[in-house]
Amino acid sequence: MQILPNDVKSTLLNCIADMASNCWQFTSKPSAFTRTRKISFEDVLLSVISMQKSSSRHEMLKYFDFNAQMPTLSALIQRRHLITSSAFEHLFYRFTSSFSFEKTFKGYRIFAVDGSDICIPRNPADKSTYRISDPYGKGFNMLHLNASYDLLNRVYTDLSLQAGNEINEYAAICDMIDRYSAVSDQKAIFIADRGFGSFNAFAHAIENETYFLIRAKDTGSRSLLSTLQLPDTKEFDLKFERWLTRRNTKTIKAEPQIYKSIAGRVFDYLEPKSKKLYYISFRIVRFLLPNGETETIYTNLPKEEFPADELRHLYHLRWGIETSFRSLKYSLGLLFFHSRNKDFILQEIYAKIILYNFCEIITGLIIVKKRDCKYTYQINHTMAISICIEFLRRRTPGDASIAIEKLLNNLLVPVRTGRSYPRFLKARTASTFLYR
């Protein structure tokens, strides 16, 4: 059965309507939203989801279609205070799980796990998020978003928000692997950068009968690679197998090719003072990149099915989550919050990711018409986001007739392959309310 953009919108609205019928589960007061008001439970969720970079008052004007009878901004803030951020978290998982994503690589779903810092309005009183940035004492507040992103279907599937001073990416990837395995038996590969590699993460993937492909830290750092005798070649594919132990005796130290001590490390499959052993085995693969540099990765993917060339291609796909973070922050306006209240900020983070999935699911349904030109063409995702937001805002049947497929096919951009640019990292704080 073919899914249409209107079906995606109906799914989101139905999820919100079902939540509204049991809204007491998502409010700070059981009696909230029991009386008829200008702003309903559904309006609060949808207005927050559709908010962009403008001021709150301007966003309300757009949501209520510049109706002179629209509620006041104060009314919206009071209603938002009644709803907890768990409402948006619940909506994210429920809406995303309503669709079956069929694009796979050799029958495997491909997930990229990565983190991104989100600067929020400055509040030195919030010690969990406040960080000192310079010798003058002018610090900033930050949240860390860990996300699992389906690279082929272009949707976020799992999230973990951590305070800026409580970042733990090792725990985040373990939780995401566990949650995926608890609800799905489809084969999956979790791809991650250097900050996520640990014996605990490897073991969680192995115990859940799933697969990992994680970039190794450089040999000069305090990493597993620096303790091994690796081949003196630019490329290799070797098998690493050890008995992990909490002990650090002379016998353990004398046989580093057999045992690996993890005393003091977090490892969920050996108790802190356990004398038991845990066997672990995976591949360490180094391959050449197009620019002549080398990359080393850890993986438990079978060598016969995934040789080094396949692994290089898979790791290259990981860049998709980096571009998705860029869309979240700049195209969808995740750098522009509409409150200093921390719970409101959490609401808006989940809302932006719901909106991202909504837009990507719709654009994934559009068939790009072929053109007799030099380049192949693809959808302009920045314009697609603006169109999909307007499509979501129009509530009445007569106003919801945006010809999405025609609009997006009129706004295609060429695919220019073989282009690469250096990555320049520049700190970006949350935009101030005065500026907006």
Side-chain angles (χ1 to χ4, degrees):
M1 180 179 176
Q2 184 180 4
I3 300 177
L4 300 174
N6 276 317
D7 299 325
V8 180
K9 180 177 178 178
S10 297
T11 300
L12 178 58
L13 296 180
N14 289 337
C15 290
I16 294 174
D18 289 343
M19 291 174 62
S21 62
N22 297 286
C23 62
W24 57 270
Q25 299 179 27
F26 311 105
T27 57
S28 55
K29 296 180 180 179
S31 60
F33 294 98
T34 55
R35 298 174 62 186
T36 302
R37 301 284 189 182
K38 282 188 175 182
I39 305 180
S40 63
F41 180 87
E42 296 97 320
D43 282 331
V44 176
L45 265 62
L46 283 171
S47 61
V48 175
I49 289 172
S50 61
M51 280 184 175
Q52 292 300 287
K53 303 175 184 180
S54 302
S55 65
S56 298
R57 196 178 301 278
H58 191 192
E59 294 298 339
M60 279 194 69
L61 281 169
K62 290 189 288 185
Y63 178 77
F64 287 100
D65 199 20
F66 294 86
N67 189 335
Q69 303 302 317
M70 62 174 283
T72 63
L73 179 58
S74 175
L76 175 63
I77 294 172
Q78 291 176 47
R79 302 300 260 179
R80 284 186 67 181
H81 269 295
L82 296 174
I83 298 178
T84 62
S85 59
S86 64
F88 291 85
E89 182 181 5
H90 175 85
L91 179 59
F92 162 73
Y93 286 109
R94 182 166 181 178
F95 172 68
T96 306
S97 62
S98 299
F99 300 90
S100 58
F101 303 104
E102 299 177 353
K103 293 181 182 178
T104 61
F105 182 85
K106 292 186 174 182
Y108 296 80
R109 288 191 71 181
I110 310 297
F111 298 103
V113 178
D114 204 354
S116 182
D117 295 333
I118 301 174
C119 289
I120 61 178
R122 188 172 180 271
N123 179 14
D126 186 359
K127 301 302 180 183
S128 65
T129 64
Y130 183 70
R131 308 182 76 172
I132 301 296
S133 61
D134 53 59
Y136 302 102
K138 186 178 180 181
F140 62 96
N141 291 71
M142 185 183 80
L143 293 172
H144 189 72
L145 170 66
N146 296 292
S148 174
Y149 182 75
D150 189 323
L151 291 165
L152 301 181
N153 296 287
R154 297 174 61 93
V155 292
Y156 288 96
T157 57
D158 201 356
L159 302 175
S160 174
L161 279 169
Q162 299 170 340
N165 294 323
E166 301 169 0
I167 299 174
N168 189 339
E169 294 183 327
Y170 298 126
I173 191 171
C174 292
D175 292 341
M176 290 177 185
I177 291 172
D178 291 343
R179 285 196 289 263
Y180 175 79
S181 301
V183 299
S184 176
D185 56 0
Q186 188 174 0
K187 295 186 296 183
I189 303 172
F190 288 85
I191 305 174
D193 207 354
R194 291 171 294 188
F196 293 87
S198 68
F199 284 122
N200 197 34
F202 302 158
H204 272 264
I206 293 168
E207 292 290 335
N208 285 293
E209 298 182 352
T210 190
Y211 299 91
F212 62 86
L213 193 157
I214 299 178
R215 182 184 175 190
K217 291 183 179 180
D218 298 332
T219 53
S221 64
R222 296 178 60 187
S223 66
L224 174 61
L225 292 184
S226 62
T227 66
L228 302 176
Q229 293 183 352
L230 301 174
D232 190 18
T233 58
K234 289 188 175 181
E235 293 187 305
F236 57 76
D237 188 343
L238 57 87
K239 184 177 182 180
F240 176 90
E241 48 185 343
R242 296 289 190 277
W243 288 97
L244 303 182
T245 175
R246 291 290 188 184
R247 296 180 297 169
N248 199 19
T249 63
K250 291 182 179 179
T251 303
I252 300 299
K253 294 178 180 179
E255 297 183 289
Q257 303 300 321
I258 300 175
Y259 302 104
K260 178 67 177 177
S261 175
I262 55 169
R265 298 188 188 181
V266 175
F267 190 77
D268 297 332
Y269 299 98
L270 286 177
E271 294 295 329
K273 296 183 179 180
S274 174
K275 295 183 179 180
K276 295 181 180 179
L277 299 174
Y278 183 94
Y279 176 77
I280 193 166
S281 174
F282 52 86
R283 295 162 62 194
I284 303 178
V285 185
R286 177 174 291 168
F287 46 77
L288 278 170
L289 300 175
N291 60 4
E293 297 180 0
T294 59
E295 199 71 88
T296 309
I297 56 95
Y298 304 125
T299 183
N300 63 335
L301 288 165
K303 186 175 181 179
E304 300 77 16
E305 189 177 0
F306 292 91
D309 287 343
E310 292 280 11
L311 297 180
R312 179 168 50 234
H313 171 66
L314 279 174
Y315 188 75
H316 177 70
L317 293 177
R318 192 199 69 84
W319 192 251
I321 192 172
E322 301 285 0
T323 57
S324 74
F325 284 148
R326 184 184 185 280
S327 294
L328 270 178
K329 291 183 177 181
Y330 298 99
S331 299
L332 280 95
L334 191 56
L335 295 173
F336 303 86
F337 295 103
H338 298 82
S339 174
R340 296 183 183 274
N341 183 290
K342 190 174 179 179
D343 200 54
F344 282 16
I345 291 170
L346 295 177
Q347 290 180 10
E348 293 189 36
I349 291 173
Y350 281 109
K352 288 293 184 293
I353 298 174
I354 293 168
L355 183 59
Y356 179 93
N357 282 359
F358 175 80
C359 297
E360 288 296 342
I361 292 171
I362 288 179
T363 54
L365 303 174
I366 305 302
I367 299 173
V368 178
K369 295 179 180 178
K370 293 184 178 180
R371 296 184 178 184
D372 187 15
C373 299
K374 176 181 177 181
Y375 299 106
T376 56
Y377 281 78
Q378 65 180 0
I379 290 174
N380 184 330
H381 287 279
T382 301
M383 294 303 301
I385 288 170
S386 299
I387 294 169
C388 290
I389 292 172
E390 185 60 29
F391 173 66
L392 178 62
R393 281 190 178 127
R394 300 196 178 191
R395 304 293 301 278
T396 59
D399 293 335
S401 57
I402 295 179
I404 289 183
E405 185 168 358
K406 290 183 179 179
L407 280 172
L408 293 181
N409 270 289
N410 289 338
L411 299 168
L412 300 178
V413 292
V415 179
R416 297 182 173 92
T417 58
R419 293 188 172 192
S420 62
Y421 302 93
R423 185 184 184 191
F424 297 105
L425 295 178
K426 184 179 179 181
R428 176 73 183 270
T429 60
S431 295
T432 63
F433 299 103
L434 185 62
Y435 168 77
R436 291 154 56 201

